Structures are given as structure tokens and as C-alpha cells.
Amino acid sequence: MKFGLFFELSTPRPFTTENQRDVYENAIEQTVLADELGFNSAWCVEHHFLEEYSHSSCPDMFLAALARETKHIRLGFGIGTCVPEMHSPIRWAEKAAFLDMLSNGRAEFGTGRSSTWNELGGFEANIDETKRTWDEFCRVIPKMWTEERFSHQGTNFSMPERCILPKPVQNPHPPLWVAVTAPGTELDAGDRGMGAIILSIADVERVAPRIAEYRKRISTCEPVGEFVNDQVAIANWMYCHEDGDYATQKGNELISTFGYMAGQTVEISEAYPANNYTALGLLGSLRPDPNAPDAGKKPPASGLCFGDPKHLVETIRRWEAAGVDQIIFMLQAREHLPQQDVLASLRLFARDVMPHFSDQRSTKMAVKA
Amino acid sequence: MNKPELLYGERSSPDFARPESVLDYAATKALALDNVEIFYSLFEIPMSDVLRALPASLHPSIPAVLCTNFWKATESPFGPFAFAYVGPACRTGIKPRHMVTRAWCDNPVAAHYLLTHYGFDCKPAVIRCGESYERIRGQVLVDGKTLLDITTTDCVPIVGGGSVKYSPPLNLCLVDDRPLFAQLEVGYSFKRVLRGSLAAPVFDAKATGDIALTPSYAIAGTFAVCDVQLMPVRFAVDLTVSAEEGGAIKLKR
């Protein structure tokens, strides 16, 4: 089991220079400490126009800053949006390879397609096409990294032959991932040989069948990249404190704050019914959990990592038994917790929880036959 | 840490006229209607406008959104009827809702039922709603004047109903002599859904609420044929309590 950090860069109003800068600087400080403590990865989302919820419109720049401040921790796009109105796949290939160069081979590349009207509507994206464009991006980006020169005539993207530069440090290329919010996307990840980042605020037992199905699908996949990235990461929350009740209380406050911010966004299914958005995304899943048999009631959240070290060890053991390879933690929501408390939580976690999971697994790279 | 600023409606509760409608929330039976045609449209509106329109007990969606919704039922206990309403999207806690600012109905018996059971204070109007070969169209006419003319063209079918989410409307009405927003919950069984490009050839903003809300960007129009179940009101939101301290109240029968 490996551990990482997951940054939304949520920011309190008013959006002053100080408030925005504090969020960025605090996140960098958390990552530097996590690097020293032995955490495996730090991921940064890409979001646009999500007031308070996420001021992380340029994850490549944030990750580049982390690359120069850290030594070992892996750096992930969590995720890059594969929608042509927002990005060309060429630019994603360039940015990820650039990060790989600046970090000396520590880049991870997560992909996704957004699920909010805020973002897709703001860019006037063709919402009906996002699944297809994501699929096409996933297939061309690895080739841009591995082929000296690349050309493509596709459905949503075409280009004449060019040499896309720089080439990544990692050979054959950075691991590929998919953000899994709506149920079913883990199957898309498995079919393509990509890692699954499952964003979950739910019971371990509810997610476990999805992980099992992912493992089945990836065993017979046709990888879009040069290797199969057979890994499941759970994006989760963590606040660790010696006083378990206090940690739970603070954790619930984080969830409540996150819910308030996420609740204001406009989900695609709320605004623009589309055949490729039949399930709620993460934000919508807060109202309510789409997997819950009793949807509409408050979702249970036994998989959340709020508590004292003993409780966290028990919770993580259950994630491990469910087949999770790594957990990447959200630590903040709109700077609700003082920075010193977040840093103390990381230190306590590293001291009293991580040693129970010292059998760190290395990244699986099954080179495509 | 300082308490963060939050984004809530700015309209003071005394600015809202005391509602005349009294909710009969003792009702326990759902109203079932088959083959209802629903024409639901969403527009973006300026955030500054919606903040002026919403009370502190509700917070806005981001971006600010306004809906128009037409219902046509050819069979009901009240005979055929159509009704329509307009209102901005809002949130109670984290739940998406619409605060109804104006409603109309073409059948007085149905209008009375909608008033007493769900708090819709419907004005009499001619309401046209229907599907033709080229477009979906909904109109509200009062005294011969068109207040709303909403159209959707270039429709594409949406498979199943899982992609369609209608936010429950909130109607300001008196509940036990308190002004509360009653929340209408509806169960939908979709038979057919279309989505298309939206336009509002006529949108009389002044006639659709106390505070004029003018569409600034058309999102989409959705037309559905479905069986519906209008549930008895279970939840309400207190007009006078801030969203931070209030939220939905479960009504006790």
C-alpha cells in the first residue's frame, strides 16, 4: 500500500491575493513535508470556474513547482481534461513530458473529461463527444511520447507529422490513469490498461466490487500505452490525530465544507442531459452517493480516514483487502484546518500509520507483448 | 481562522410578500399522472441578479441558472391541464432546487390542487406546450399578451431517463402560519426524452417574478414524456433562517 496527497486547491472567499497564495504555498509545504516523510505521490486536479471548490486551473504549473521543491515523490495530473475545446492532446503530451523532465522521471498522467456544466459549458465544449475525445486522447498521447515523429487522422483530432517534444524521461512513458467518478468508468480504465483513480467518499465494501471488476477487465485489456498500469488508487480524505473523536469531528467538518462547495456546481445531468453522462460525477455523487442502495439518505463513509492512528490502520487494512494499491488523501477544504494541524496530521500518519504498510509495492509495468 | 465568506441570497425576508397560499401538508397520497409532457429549459443568468432574488436561506448555483418548466397532462382527476413555472436554481444545503418566482395554470381546479398541496400560486393563463416535427414550444399568454415563448430545436433522443435530473421546485407558502418554501418531490418514469438547442423568442422578465431575471445564455431544452408521481410535501425551508443555520425542515404530520 502506497500513500499520496490529492490537491483541489480549494480557496476561501474573498478571492484575495493572500487567500489564493496561502492555498498554493500551503499545498507546496505539505508536499515537501510528505516527500520527506516517505509519501509516494502528490496529485493535482484540473478544474475551471469552480469558485471556492478548486482554484487549480493550471496543474502543470503547480506540479512543476513541486518538481523543483521535492526529490522523490511522484507527481500526478489528477487529472488532465481530455476535451479539445480545453486542450489539444499535443499540449498534454508536451506538458506531461516536460514535467517528467523537470522531475527526472516522476510524472504520472491522469486523464478525464469533466462532469460539470461550469467547465464544459464555460468552454462551450461539445458535451456529447467528451467520451469519444477522451478515448482518442488516451490513444494518441502515448504515441506522441514514444514515436519519434507522429501524425494522426482521427475523429476529433488530426495533425500532420511532427516531432512532439520533449520526450519523457520514463521509458517507455509515464503511467496512464483515468479518474473514476461515475460507476462504470473503472471498466473503461481496465479495458485500456490504465490505472484507476477512484474518487470515493463511501464504504470500502461498496467500492470493492468495482475494483474486482476492474481487475478482471484489465487482465484481458488492450493497452493504449506501451505497458499495462494495473493499479487502483483511491482518492480519499485523511485527518489523523491522537484524539480519535476530535479527528472525526474535524474530518466531518472537512466533508461538510467540501459538500457545500461541490453542491453549488452545476452537474451536466442537471443542466444538459446527455447519453454519455448517465451517472452522476463526484460532485453530484455527494447528493447522494450513486452506489447507495438507500440513495437519498446520508451515505455511510466508513472508508474515510479520519481518526486516531489505530483507526486509520484498521481502515486502510480494509482498503488493502479490497485490492487498493494506493490511497491518495485530500487534506484540506477551503483552508478549514490550520496549516500546522495539517502538517501535524501528516507527521503523525507517517510515524504511526505508514510503518504498518511498509511492504510498498513498486509500480507494475507489464511491458506490452 | 476567520469565518469564511459564503455565497448566499441577499434579499431580505421582509422583501418577500407574505404568501397567500396555505399548504395542506396533511395529505398523504401521491398524485399520479400518466403520459405527462414536460418541457424543461435552463438558461444562465447574471449572478448579481440571482443574488438579489434569493433569500439568505438559499444559496445560488454556480453559474447562476434560471429554469422554465411546462407540464401538459391530458388526463388527470381535474381533466386536461397545463401549468408552467419559472425560477432560479438554488441550493438548500447541497441539494439542487429551484425557487419558483411565478407559476401559471390553465385549469382552475388543477390550479387549486397545486396551490393547496404543493404551494404553487398559479395565475390563470393560456398555456401552450407541445412537440411538432421541427421543434418543442412552450408559451404562456395572459390577457392576450405573450409572457413566455420558449423553443427547442434540433432535438436528439436521450436514451433512458438516467441522464435527466429535474431539480425540485420550492414554493413560498404558509405552513402553520409560517412562510416556508415547500419542496415538491416528483417521481418520474421516463418514456421518451429529447434534448435540443434552446431559444427564448419572448421572455418577459418583469412578468416572471418580483425581481426581473433575464436569460443571458441558453443552456438546453429537454422534452420528456413520462408518468409522474407528485409526492406529498415532506420538506420545507424556512424563509427567515440563513442557509448556514437552517436547511431543510422535515414537516411533521
Side-chain angles (χ1 to χ4, degrees):
Chain A
M1 178 66 81
K2 293 178 284 190
F3 302 105
L5 310 183
F6 191 82
F7 292 110
E8 300 272 7
L9 303 180
S10 67
T11 303
R13 294 179 192 277
F15 303 144
T16 60
T17 302
E18 290 75 16
N19 278 352
Q20 295 188 102
R21 184 183 291 145
D22 282 352
V23 169
Y24 296 162
E25 294 295 339
N26 287 345
I28 291 170
E29 185 180 23
Q30 290 158 21
T31 309
V32 169
L33 176 62
D35 188 38
E36 293 166 4
L37 295 172
F39 281 77
N40 174 260
S41 61
W43 299 76
C44 187
V45 301
E46 181 199 357
H47 280 308
H48 304 271
F49 318 125
L50 300 188
E51 300 172 28
E52 297 181 88
Y53 177 85
S54 173
H55 291 217
S56 183
S57 50
C58 299
D60 52 317
M61 301 190 76
F62 180 74
L63 293 169
L66 295 183
R68 306 310 292 176
E69 297 277 343
T70 58
K71 291 185 172 62
H72 307 291
I73 200 164
R74 296 189 64 79
L75 303 169
F77 288 89
I79 49 79
T81 313
C82 296
V83 171
E85 291 84 353
M86 298 164 77
H87 298 280
S88 156
I90 304 169
R91 296 290 287 140
W92 274 134
E94 292 172 338
K95 286 170 193 244
F98 215 111
L99 176 67
D100 210 39
M101 187 63 64
L102 289 175
S103 65
N104 194 26
R106 290 186 279 144
E108 306 266 341
F109 189 63
T111 64
R113 61 190 178 111
S114 179
S115 66
T116 69
W117 171 257
N118 304 51
E119 295 167 285
L120 295 171
F123 280 95
E124 296 198 314
N126 184 345
I127 291 165
D128 295 315
E129 288 294 312
T130 59
K131 192 92 174 183
R132 278 189 279 266
T133 60
W134 165 77
D135 183 56
E136 193 165 0
F137 276 40
C138 293
R139 293 176 191 282
V140 299
I141 288 171
K143 292 183 174 63
M144 293 176 182
W145 288 326
T146 55
E147 296 180 10
E148 185 175 2
R149 290 185 171 76
F150 176 79
S151 65
H152 182 69
Q153 288 293 319
T155 309
N156 293 284
F157 165 75
S158 298
M159 66 175 294
E161 185 181 78
R162 293 289 188 276
C163 183
I164 293 156
L165 299 168
K167 299 299 183 191
V169 172
Q170 293 175 84
N171 186 11
H173 57 71
L176 290 162
W177 297 80
V178 185
V180 176
T181 52
T185 305
E186 68 275 12
L187 307 182
D188 296 327
D191 288 343
R192 291 161 179 77
M194 303 167 78
I197 307 169
I198 300 178
L199 307 176
S200 174
I201 303 176
D203 274 345
V204 177
E205 292 72 22
R206 194 165 292 150
V207 180
R210 298 171 63 183
I211 296 172
E213 196 58 35
Y214 166 82
R215 298 291 189 199
K216 274 190 214 169
R217 296 290 275 260
I218 203 164
S219 67
T220 57
C221 71
E222 295 182 21
V224 293
E226 291 294 312
F227 63 94
V228 176
N229 185 27
D230 182 4
Q231 291 196 81
V232 172
I234 290 289
N236 197 331
W237 292 82
M238 190 271 282
Y239 182 63
C240 187
H241 193 277
E242 300 281 10
D243 181 340
D245 291 340
Y246 178 77
T248 302
Q249 178 200 326
K250 288 296 161 188
N252 288 337
E253 289 173 13
L254 286 176
I255 294 289
S256 174
T257 302
F258 182 75
Y260 158 80
M261 296 185 296
Q264 292 192 339
T265 62
V266 176
E267 284 281 312
I268 284 299
S269 56
E270 183 186 350
Y272 192 95
N275 291 320
N276 56 343
Y277 285 92
T278 55
L280 290 168
L282 173 69
L283 310 188
S285 75
L286 292 164
R287 42 183 206 237
D289 185 332
N291 294 327
D294 56 347
K297 298 179 182 174
K298 188 178 179 183
S302 68
L304 295 171
C305 292
F306 298 136
D308 58 25
K310 180 172 178 290
H311 177 73
L312 265 53
V313 169
E314 291 166 1
T315 302
I316 294 165
R317 287 276 182 233
R318 291 168 54 228
W319 282 116
E320 193 174 49
V324 170
D325 299 295
Q326 58 178 291
I327 305 180
I328 47 183
F329 295 120
M330 288 180 272
L331 308 171
Q332 265 292 20
R334 205 177 52 199
E335 301 300 276
H336 180 75
L337 298 177
Q339 172 73 347
Q340 289 311 311
D341 290 5
V342 176
L343 299 178
S345 168
L346 284 171
R347 289 191 187 97
L348 182 61
F349 183 89
R351 191 190 75 189
D352 290 356
V353 179
M354 281 170 70
H356 292 268
F357 303 92
S358 56
D359 53 336
Q360 303 263 326
R361 293 164 59 180
S362 58
T363 301
K364 295 175 184 175
M365 284 193 178
V367 176
K368 189 168 68 174
Chain B
M1 161 138 198
N2 293 332
K3 200 173 177 183
E5 285 185 20
L6 301 176
L7 199 61
Y8 291 121
E10 296 169 354
R11 191 177 184 193
S12 67
S13 52
D15 282 354
F16 286 81
R18 184 174 171 82
E20 296 176 3
S21 50
V22 177
L23 185 75
D24 172 17
Y25 66 91
T28 55
K29 283 185 68 176
L31 173 64
L33 301 171
D34 290 343
N35 297 311
V36 176
E37 295 178 2
I38 298 177
F39 177 31
Y40 178 84
S41 303
L42 285 182
F43 302 87
E44 292 201 21
I45 53 177
M47 179 62 78
S48 55
D49 289 354
V50 81
L51 290 176
R52 285 192 296 114
L54 292 178
S57 55
L58 300 171
H59 55 85
S61 66
I62 301 174
V65 168
L66 179 75
C67 96
T68 64
N69 199 358
F70 292 79
W71 282 38
K72 186 167 84 176
T74 52
E75 294 180 25
S76 85
F78 330 110
F81 77 96
F83 91 109
Y85 64 84
V86 175
C90 58
R91 302 292 189 251
T92 57
I94 61 172
K95 306 288 185 185
R97 303 284 181 259
H98 284 107
M99 184 186 80
V100 175
T101 54
R102 194 72 85 221
W104 302 268
C105 184
D106 64 0
N107 174 327
V109 181
H112 181 72
Y113 191 90
L114 292 170
L115 176 74
T116 55
H117 286 70
Y118 311 114
F120 283 102
D121 186 7
C122 295
K123 310 295 181 196
V126 172
I127 297 171
R128 297 179 185 140
C129 175
E131 174 190 21
S132 68
Y133 74 97
E134 58 166 347
R135 65 182 170 183
I136 315 297
R137 187 175 195 184
Q139 293 175 295
V140 173
L141 296 89
V142 174
D143 298 330
K145 184 188 176 195
T146 303
L147 306 184
L148 289 179
D149 186 1
I150 312 293
T151 64
T152 288
T153 56
D154 303 323
C155 292
V156 295
I158 300 297
V159 179
S163 309
V164 185
K165 302 284 184 297
Y166 299 137
S167 301
L170 299 173
N171 289 298
L172 188 59
C173 54
L174 291 178
V175 182
D176 298 334
D177 209 34
R178 291 168 64 195
L180 301 181
F181 288 105
Q183 175 179 309
L184 170 58
E185 294 166 283
V186 182
Y188 301 94
S189 177
F190 291 96
K191 297 178 174 176
R192 194 161 66 88
V193 181
L194 301 172
R195 187 209 69 223
S197 302
L198 178 64
V202 179
F203 195 104
D204 186 340
K206 289 181 181 169
T208 54
D210 295 340
I211 291 177
L213 298 173
T214 304
S216 56
Y217 189 96
I219 299 175
T222 308
F223 179 77
V225 179
C226 51
D227 297 339
V228 299
Q229 288 227 321
L230 287 77
M231 309 299 182
V233 171
R234 295 186 302 155
F235 293 99
V237 175
D238 194 322
L239 168 68
T240 61
V241 179
S242 76
E244 196 180 4
E245 295 166 3
I249 306 162
K250 187 160 189 178
L251 299 176
K252 291 177 183 170
R253 292 193 159 79

